[in-house]
Amino acid sequence: MKTKKVSDDLDYAARMYNLHIYAGVPKENIDLAFVVFSGSTSIILSNEEYKKRFGVENPNRELLDEFKKHGVRVIVCGQSMMKQRLDPAMIYPGVEMAVSRFTATTDLMNKGYLLFSL
């Protein structure tokens, strides 16, 4: 895992959002949600927890703050959290928690979201 650079997956989600803005889609018409699971959960650790584990600031914090500011939902899989012994206090502020990646994904799809796998 690359602990000192922004997650490629979060960067991709940001580019997807920005490309829609550049294409003229109004911000209020963009509803993007990003589900984090398995070994990727470290990207959504709080800055304090990230620093404790890796010795550096969480490089994803600015992007996570921008997502929150623009209404992009970041959701973490609760099963992955349990497997990695993470509790809610260790998660970056504003990141939502779901029972599992499957429940988060199926719930979003039932609400009309399209699925893109990264």
Side-chain angles (χ1 to χ4, degrees):
M1 182 178 94
K2 299 171 184 164
T3 59
K4 294 183 181 179
K5 76 178 219 66
V6 171
S7 159
D8 289 337
D9 292 336
L10 288 180
D11 182 64
Y12 187 84
R15 285 187 288 138
M16 186 184 308
Y17 177 88
N18 287 332
L19 286 171
H20 282 81
I21 296 295
Y22 297 143
V25 177
K27 289 181 183 183
E28 61 272 8
N29 292 351
I30 299 173
D31 198 2
L32 180 63
F34 189 79
V35 180
V36 179
F37 62 95
S38 194
S40 297
T41 55
S42 63
I43 67 177
I44 52 82
L45 290 174
S46 69
N47 198 47
E48 297 77 21
E49 185 65 25
Y50 198 95
K51 203 184 304 185
K52 194 184 309 178
R53 290 174 181 238
F54 304 112
V56 294
E57 304 273 328
N58 185 341
N60 303 294
R61 66 191 183 285
E62 290 177 27
L63 195 47
L64 290 168
D65 287 339
E66 285 296 312
F67 282 161
K68 185 176 176 181
K69 177 177 160 186
H70 293 284
V72 175
R73 295 174 62 195
V74 179
I75 306 164
V76 63
C77 168
Q79 288 184 321
S80 297
M81 286 178 60
M82 286 175 46
K83 186 175 181 183
Q84 296 177 36
R85 295 183 173 94
L86 299 176
D87 64 60
M90 297 173 174
I91 303 305
Y92 202 85
V95 172
E96 300 171 43
M97 288 170 267
V99 171
S100 70
R101 133 180 99 135
F102 298 111
T103 57
T105 303
T106 56
D107 180 56
L108 290 166
M109 291 173 71
N110 280 334
K111 292 177 179 171
Y113 284 73
L114 299 175
L115 177 64
F116 289 89
S117 290
L118 304 180

